[in-house]
Amino acid sequence: MTLQSKPLGHGSFVQRSSQTHRPLLSSALRQATQAPHLRQLGSCPCPQQQVYRHRAVQSRAYQFKQGPDVPERGIAALTYLLPLLDALPYGRYVFMQFPFIARAMAPLAPVAYIYNSVPFLPFLLFIGVYSFIVNNQSMGRFIRYNAM
């Protein structure tokens, strides 16, 4: 096994092993990560322990957070109606093969008819959703995210 010095940029070098291709730890850093008094204080510079500590704090923070209210969820779900209405005409062959899907989409038929019969209505609705929902900072993040 041979050691090679490779430049990292701006005059710094790291010794690399030709077999493992990982940087070698200096003896001081290796001793610092193995020192028992540092592990007890919780200030170990070991990145793995810092990641675990960060995940524990993150999970405790999300444990008490409540989700969006029911009206916000309803408005966010309505924003997905526009792409569905755009795709319904292309599902004609699927509806012929599977009639139960056509029956499930039957309540949307009058809305889809109006949506697809008025010229430029899909484009105007898209511009309206983007202008009045996505760019409206007073609306909740959940609604704005789902409207995008």
Side-chain angles (χ1 to χ4, degrees), residues 91-146:
R92 171 176 62 219
Y93 302 108
V94 175
F95 298 150
M96 285 192 290
Q97 291 290 323
F98 304 102
F100 63 92
I101 297 175
R103 278 186 248 123
M105 296 294 164
L108 294 176
V111 178
Y113 177 75
I114 295 169
Y115 183 78
N116 292 318
S117 65
V118 177
F120 295 109
L121 183 64
F123 179 70
L124 294 174
L125 284 176
F126 171 76
I127 296 297
V129 165
Y130 187 78
S131 299
F132 298 113
I133 294 178
V134 175
N135 289 333
N136 190 356
Q137 297 293 326
S138 65
M139 285 206 156
R141 280 181 123 167
F142 186 73
I143 296 172
R144 291 186 293 132
Y145 175 80
N146 285 296

Side-chain angles (χ1 to χ4, degrees), residues 63-75:
Q63 187 177 11
F64 300 108
K65 185 177 185 279
Q66 293 182 359
D69 297 338
V70 175
E72 285 183 1
R73 290 181 187 190
I75 294 170

Side-chain angles (χ1 to χ4, degrees), residues 25-69:
L25 291 176
S26 67
S27 61
L29 181 60
R30 197 175 301 123
Q31 288 173 357
T33 58
Q34 295 173 355
H37 67 280
L38 286 178
R39 274 189 249 126
Q40 289 173 356
L41 294 175
S43 63
C44 178
C46 181
Q48 277 185 329
Q49 289 183 0
Q50 290 176 355
V51 168
Y52 293 134
R53 227 178 290 128
H54 176 67
R55 286 182 186 161
V57 169
Q58 209 175 29
S59 65
R60 276 189 231 121
Y62 286 113
Q63 187 177 11
F64 300 108
K65 185 177 185 279
Q66 293 182 359
D69 297 338

